[in-house]
Amino acid sequence: MRDLLMTAWVTVPRPACQRKGVGTCRLPKAGAALAGAQPDLSMGTRASPLSISCGRSQRTQLKQVDGPSTMRPCCKARPLLLLPLLKAAFLNGQLTSVRANHWLSTHRLLPARGLTTEGPASHPVEVLGQLFRRDDFTNVTAKILSKVGCNLHNRTHHPLWLIKERIKAHFYRTYMGRWGTPLFSVHDNLSPVVTVEQNFDSLLIPLDHASRKKGDNYYLNRGHMLRAHTSAHQCDLVRCGLDAFLVAGDVYRRDEIDASHYPVFHQMEGVRLFSSHELFAQVERGEDLRLFESRGRRTPQKQGTHTLEAVKLVEFSLKQTLTRLVRHLFGEDLEIRWAECYFPFTHPSYEMEVRFQGDWLEVLGCGVMEQELVHSAGAENKIGWAFGLGLERLAMVLYGIPDIRLFWSEDERFLKQFCLPHIDDAVTFQPLSRYPPLMNDISFWLPAGSYAANDFYDLVRSIGGDLVERVSLVDQFTHPKTERVSHCYRITYRHMERTLTQQEVRVIHQSIERAAEQELGVQGRY
């Protein structure tokens, strides 16, 4: 379940990509003290539990451990032109200076493996006004940092905002507390910078688990990272006493490049905890049932500490809740199926898949929360479920959006389609003019040391940006004598708003070729 899998007061400026209508944490009265609460994420220190402040707006502290005592808050990375890589390409006589200058003015290239600036490793990484010391784990790029703070899920009338608001409204209407207030609180503005402990350790993810790999995540340093899932906030919110909540936010993962994968996407997390009384209140002779057993055995159906009766009721509540949600969003015609799976933080665990364009698409993961996790968060006398879903994937199905890059489009022809009078109004995406793709191949010998395909994908993203539609491994060859391995990738370029020329694409492609040799240690075969 990849989708299941948060400060003295100085105001941080809103990033340029953020519009009006940015949401804040909306809570029922019982949880109002937690609105917008975030842990202290100052550089080089572990995040503390959520601080609670009543009736105050939440702001972010600007801290620095070393160096000057004051600095300029900044929410976006400062992109740099790849002039050394592009120089030869622009001087080859095949691209006019006018066209080259026009292309550069509209598409600034980012450093292949750089961070916020080029310079000594001692220069810290700046994110949302905070500085983080670099180390051997630092791998976040300027391209990715430029996305931090954009908060597409909080932009009014953006398709991701529509999905989030529809889910929130459904939970508000359907699940009410004993005093007539919404049972679920909503948190949609928590910082995406978390500690490694929050992202992995708090969820019982083993140290050797594949999801921790440097090649799959964006690390600021060994102690801090951009969250890989909204579940990173789960324990902190439970520790603050919340029994039912939703968390929405941007998450970051290094991944392949195609129409359904992007290094920044958005998730919504849901958690519900039950006391013995809450779970068994509607069951005949429920007073005789128990949540836990002392000498239980772990089986595929339950955890060792849980009774089978409790697990079955929690599982029923979970699947009923998610089935109601999907039917609310898509109606009765959408094909759904459940698949058993494994996650470190839930057992038993399930994935929900929906039929999309002829293929089964995973949209969420869920399960009964591991009791060790619940216990460590201070709710040892309760049992619960959790789920996580991808907002982009739901929006692609619901609105018929064919390419995940469109969510980042500033084209008014795209955005105006989702300016609806009511969030529940039906809308189907009307394709913009379909501009032709341009495909270029790149072939190289892999280095003798380690090589990860995600490093190459990240490099391509950093240089080509959203002009890159897909990267596919089309051929690999092992030399019979030297045993050297060669990979050939096909890079598909397509602009979402105009037709690209081969000359423009060649400039980018040559930059990728040079950067691959310099940064990844490959030997080109071009």
Side-chain angles (χ1 to χ4, degrees):
M1 157 184 37
R2 299 187 64 190
D3 290 324
L4 183 60
L5 276 25
M6 198 160 156
T7 189
W9 310 97
V10 176
T11 303
V12 175
R14 178 177 297 174
C17 57
Q18 200 171 25
R19 299 179 176 180
K20 294 182 179 180
V22 171
T24 57
C25 297
R26 301 170 182 84
L27 299 167
K29 293 180 180 179
L34 293 168
Q38 298 183 37
D40 186 342
L41 293 177
S42 57
M43 180 179 66
T45 62
R46 176 177 296 180
S48 60
L50 288 172
S51 58
I52 301 176
S53 91
C54 300
R56 294 183 180 180
S57 61
Q58 183 67 24
R59 300 182 182 182
T60 305
Q61 185 181 22
L62 182 64
K63 294 185 176 182
Q64 185 183 16
V65 173
D66 302 319
S69 58
T70 60
M71 63 197 67
R72 178 182 56 85
C74 178
C75 286
K76 296 189 70 174
R78 298 182 291 276
L80 301 172
L81 295 179
L82 279 174
L83 295 180
L85 299 177
L86 292 174
K87 185 175 181 181
F90 283 117
L91 296 179
N92 62 8
Q94 298 179 10
L95 190 63
T96 65
S97 59
V98 174
R99 180 173 293 275
N101 291 333
H102 170 74
W103 190 89
L104 273 175
S105 68
T106 56
H107 291 87
R108 300 184 69 199
L109 296 182
L110 298 166
R113 308 294 295 159
L115 300 172
T116 53
T117 60
E118 290 181 343
S122 59
H123 287 187
V125 182
E126 186 176 349
V127 189
L128 296 177
Q130 290 184 309
L131 298 181
F132 298 87
R133 187 178 294 107
R134 298 186 191 182
D135 58 27
D136 59 323
F137 254 59
T138 305
N139 66 350
V140 65
T141 64
K143 177 70 175 179
I144 296 302
L145 290 178
S146 71
K147 305 291 187 182
V148 176
C150 290
N151 295 327
L152 300 184
H153 63 290
N154 286 334
R155 288 191 185 184
T156 305
H157 298 301
H158 190 279
L160 298 180
W161 175 86
L162 288 175
I163 291 287
K164 184 202 72 175
E165 291 298 309
R166 292 189 64 185
I167 294 173
K168 183 181 73 174
H170 169 75
F171 274 88
Y172 275 3
R173 287 194 304 262
T174 307
Y175 306 99
M176 305 298 293
R178 62 192 303 181
W179 306 111
T181 56
L183 180 65
F184 284 81
S185 60
V186 177
H187 309 259
D188 59 9
N189 204 24
L190 299 177
S191 172
V193 178
V194 298
T195 64
V196 172
E197 179 184 10
Q198 287 174 298
N199 200 81
F200 297 120
D201 299 340
S202 70
L203 298 170
L204 310 180
I205 298 175
L207 292 175
D208 59 351
H209 196 272
S211 64
R212 289 179 177 258
K213 290 192 303 183
K214 182 179 175 181
D216 292 341
N217 300 283
Y218 288 103
Y219 284 92
L220 303 178
N221 52 42
R222 282 186 171 270
H224 296 83
M225 62 188 298
L226 298 178
R227 65 188 168 207
H229 41 227
T230 49
S231 302
H233 307 291
Q234 191 177 106
C235 283
D236 286 325
L237 292 173
V238 172
R239 190 174 291 116
C240 286
L242 297 181
D243 289 341
F245 57 85
L246 301 173
V247 179
D250 45 333
V251 298
Y252 300 79
R253 294 194 193 141
R254 304 176 78 200
D255 212 335
E256 57 190 300
I257 301 177
D258 57 34
S260 61
H261 290 86
Y262 200 82
V264 187
F265 56 103
H266 299 76
Q267 289 183 341
M268 201 155 189
E269 172 98 2
V271 168
R272 175 77 170 100
L273 299 181
F274 301 88
S275 65
S276 179
H277 172 74
E278 291 170 325
L279 190 61
F280 299 128
Q282 304 301 319
V283 178
E284 185 178 355
R285 301 186 63 179
E287 65 276 6
D288 297 332
L289 300 176
R290 298 289 181 267
L291 295 179
F292 309 109
E293 56 185 8
S294 58
R295 297 183 179 180
R297 181 170 62 91
R298 190 179 184 97
T299 70
Q301 289 75 40
K302 74 179 195 70
Q303 299 171 37
T305 58
H306 294 160
T307 64
L308 185 60
E309 296 84 3
V311 170
K312 289 302 179 183
L313 286 173
V314 172
E315 179 185 330
F316 175 80
S317 170
L318 170 62
K319 291 185 175 180
Q320 182 186 60
T321 299
L322 295 177
T323 299
R324 285 177 177 174
L325 172 62
V326 170
R327 286 176 177 171
H328 166 70
L329 294 175
F330 301 101
E332 300 292 336
D333 297 334
L334 188 72
E335 290 186 69
I336 305 170
R337 72 181 183 187
W338 296 93
E340 294 184 359
C341 58
Y342 164 77
F343 308 115
F345 34 85
T346 57
H347 180 78
S349 304
Y350 308 94
E351 288 178 342
M352 176 191 277
E353 298 177 344
V354 299
R355 193 79 165 176
F356 177 55
Q357 295 183 347
D359 296 320
W360 286 103
L361 179 66
E362 174 201 335
V363 293
L364 63 85
C366 60
V368 179
M369 297 173 66
E370 283 284 354
Q371 196 59 33
E372 182 182 347
L373 187 157
V374 179
H375 188 281
S376 67
E380 60 275 358
N381 61 336
K382 297 183 178 180
I383 185 174
W385 51 249
F387 74 85
L389 56 84
L391 294 180
E392 276 88 351
R393 292 192 176 187
L394 286 179
M396 290 172 79
V397 177
L398 184 62
Y399 302 134
I401 299 174
D403 194 312
I404 196 170
R405 292 177 300 161
L406 282 165
F407 292 108
W408 295 90
S409 175
E410 296 292 341
D411 192 329
E412 288 299 318
R413 294 175 298 169
F414 172 76
L415 297 173
K416 284 182 178 180
Q417 297 185 39
F418 302 96
C419 292
L420 307 177
H422 192 274
I423 58 175
D424 288 324
D425 290 350
V427 60
T428 300
F429 169 67
Q430 300 300 316
L432 310 178
S433 299
R434 188 65 172 175
Y435 297 101
L438 290 174
M439 290 173 283
N440 285 246
D441 291 352
I442 178 172
S443 180
F444 47 74
W445 295 106
L446 303 190
S450 61
Y451 167 82
N454 278 353
D455 288 338
F456 178 67
Y457 297 148
D458 207 36
L459 182 146
V460 173
R461 280 277 194 207
S462 296
I463 297 176
D466 290 348
L467 297 183
V468 178
E469 179 176 89
R470 177 185 296 269
V471 178
S472 306
L473 178 62
V474 294
D475 184 48
Q476 50 186 329
F477 166 73
T478 301
H479 195 283
K481 293 184 178 179
T482 64
E483 297 186 349
R484 296 184 69 188
V485 178
S486 170
H487 280 187
C488 179
Y489 293 89
R490 179 158 296 154
I491 304 178
T492 302
Y493 300 88
R494 191 199 304 262
H495 201 293
M496 304 300 294
E497 300 167 12
R498 67 178 180 85
T499 300
L500 286 174
T501 68
Q502 183 59 46
Q503 290 174 312
E504 291 174 306
V505 167
R506 190 58 193 157
V507 172
I508 309 171
H509 201 72
Q510 287 180 342
S511 299
I512 293 172
E513 291 173 343
R514 295 171 185 270
E517 292 185 339
Q518 294 176 11
E519 302 292 338
L520 304 181
V522 302
Q523 181 181 347
R525 301 182 65 191
Y526 31 81

